[in-house]
Amino acid sequence: MLLLVAVTVYPVLYVFSASVSNPALVQSGAVKLFPQEWTWIAYERILSRSDLWISYWNTIRYTIVQTILTLLVTSMLAYPLARRVLPGKRFLLLMIAFTMLFSGGLIPTFLIVQKLGMLNTIWAMVIPTLVSTWYLFIMRTFFEALPPELEDAATIDGCGPLGVLFRIVMPLSIPVLVTIGLFTAVGQWNSFFDAMLYLSERDMYPLQILLRTIIIIGNSSDAYAEEDGTFVETVKYSLIVISTLPILCVYPFIQKYFVQGAMIGGIKG
């Protein structure tokens, strides 16, 4: 267990130490674990860029919108599939499972996004990846495990299908909702390829595209150079810290739901 903790903690501690250490010592490999000759020069240079905050805001809104819509749409699809009686249920499940093996492909997907006029909009980042078949099956399995007597009692009291879903099923499914929400948020936060395909306006760039641009500029010019040498390596480590810090801050608050949601939702696979 101690070895696993060390393997997990060491990369995080090293990246942070390298981001605040003397750039010359980082380049020479003198920084092994703890910071050497503490300096904030990389953070000062990166955080002074106005486009960083624009990209940060873009990433935050992409992540929030996709997470909310994914949970809403996935639960509305999973709930009917989890009910005991649904006409054509087996056929629908087979068709949904078929998409796990075969997808439309890159070019057809791009053409659909283009024809729908979603290029350079937030919807190009959200709609193509809105519903994951894997998450749909996990949520359906979780819903199936809920006592059907609860739904029957709510129906007798006058709840319709949507009322049962939003007032009974979803409040009892917090673990799986939080787990899938975390997976979705992390995936969108780190999304890079979709932004490369669908976004060409700089004002729409998410954080990952901006970080790539900064690193390329840093490697090909003297934008991150001082009299005593470059600090490109320090910039890279500081960018890693900046881009991962929000997720690291959120994770401890939802960790208690994470294992429960993943295990219960995946038991029946």
Side-chain angles (χ1 to χ4, degrees), residues 6-120:
V7 170
T8 305
V9 172
Y10 175 74
V12 178
L13 183 57
Y14 174 78
V15 168
F16 176 74
S17 299
S19 69
V20 296
S21 296
N22 186 307
L25 296 178
V26 175
Q27 285 187 315
S28 65
V31 177
K32 301 298 184 184
L33 183 60
F34 296 107
Q36 303 290 328
E37 299 185 13
W38 199 292
T39 175
W40 296 100
I41 185 172
Y43 287 96
E44 292 173 358
R45 189 66 62 88
I46 294 299
L47 296 178
S48 64
R49 296 176 61 112
S50 59
D51 52 353
L52 174 73
W53 300 107
I54 295 175
S55 295
Y56 231 115
W57 166 241
N58 287 336
T59 299
I60 290 173
R61 64 192 182 108
Y62 296 162
T63 301
I64 292 176
V65 170
Q66 183 171 29
T67 302
I68 293 175
L69 291 181
T70 293
L71 292 178
L72 180 63
V73 175
T74 303
S75 60
M76 293 181 71
L77 289 173
Y79 176 61
L81 295 172
R83 303 198 68 176
R84 289 164 291 180
V85 179
L86 176 68
K89 177 179 176 180
R90 183 175 179 81
F91 174 76
L92 291 173
L93 290 174
L94 288 175
M95 294 300 294
I96 293 172
F98 182 80
T99 64
M100 298 180 71
L101 303 175
F102 303 98
S103 65
L106 177 61
I107 295 177
T109 304
F110 177 83
L111 291 176
I112 291 174
V113 173
Q114 184 185 44
K115 293 295 183 183
L116 293 176
M118 294 192 298
L119 293 180
N120 288 313

Side-chain angles (χ1 to χ4, degrees), residues 181-213:
L182 176 64
F183 285 151
T184 304
V186 172
Q188 181 57 259
W189 187 273
N190 294 323
S191 179
F192 173 80
F193 191 63
D194 288 347
M196 286 284 292
L197 284 177
Y198 305 130
L199 303 179
S200 59
E201 296 180 2
R202 295 183 64 87
D203 289 343
M204 297 297 296
Y205 280 175
L207 189 60
Q208 301 301 329
I209 295 293
L210 180 69
L211 301 186
R212 169 183 170 274
T213 304

